[in-house]
Amino acid sequence: MEPLLFDVISRIMMGYKYIYKELTMGAAGSFNSVLSAADINISEAAGEKLSELFAEVGDEMDAIRIFVSGGGCSGMSYGMTFSDEKTPYDSVLDSGDYKVYVDSVALNYMRGVEIDFIDKGMGEASFVFNNVFAATGGSGGCGSCGSSSGGCS
């Protein structure tokens, strides 16, 4: 890896670790543990698909975890996975049919996001994260999971 690129990546990761430490250690009891539609808006289509997916795993999993990871031309990638454990730093959106966990660091990058589900047929379906970085002025572009033209399978 090029030294300059390695230096940039190292600085990004150090910043992410610092933010995580500040949010989790410095304000552990002061964040809101309940999410609202203003924090994360799940469209009707996405909600129906999440309900369907959650019903398929049954009691094996507690929730669907939405996460943020570094990478991509927009700086961050967004995704979802099943989670069998809630951490003390998770905020929860409870729809009744499913729960969504988002940790405090990821929430800062996602506040105001709309999660939609697009099914174009022929097996081409994905969750799409719209308005990512709306609160911080970012775009979530380049056709990645965080953009309106991209998606997460």
Side-chain angles (χ1 to χ4, degrees), residues 5 25 29 31 42 48 57 60 82 93 101 103 106 110 143 150:
L5 180 60
M25 302 304 278
F31 73 93
I42 298 178
E48 289 172 5
V57 298
E60 294 176 34
F82 290 106
L93 178 67
Y101 294 162
D103 72 62
M110 299 186 72

Side-chain angles (χ1 to χ4, degrees), residues 3-65:
L4 180 59
L5 180 60
F6 180 77
D7 184 51
V8 169
I9 292 170
S10 295
R11 288 175 189 240
I12 290 170
M13 292 308 296
M14 285 174 44
Y16 187 77
K17 288 177 184 176
Y18 173 78
I19 291 169
Y20 185 83
K21 181 179 176 186
E22 287 297 307
L23 288 172
T24 59
M25 302 304 278
S30 65
F31 73 93
N32 188 358
S33 63
V34 178
L35 294 173
S36 70
D39 296 314
I40 295 180
N41 182 19
I42 298 178
S43 73
E44 185 177 337
E48 289 172 5
K49 188 63 176 179
L50 290 173
S51 293
E52 176 186 321
L53 293 171
F54 201 74
E56 289 176 12
V57 298
D59 294 334
E60 294 176 34
M61 296 293 155
D62 291 339
I64 297 157
R65 178 170 298 283

Side-chain angles (χ1 to χ4, degrees), residues 72-88:
C73 57
S74 63
M76 295 292 179
S77 296
Y78 306 89
M80 295 186 288
T81 189
F82 290 106
S83 180
D84 60 357
E85 186 176 330
K86 180 181 178 291
T87 73

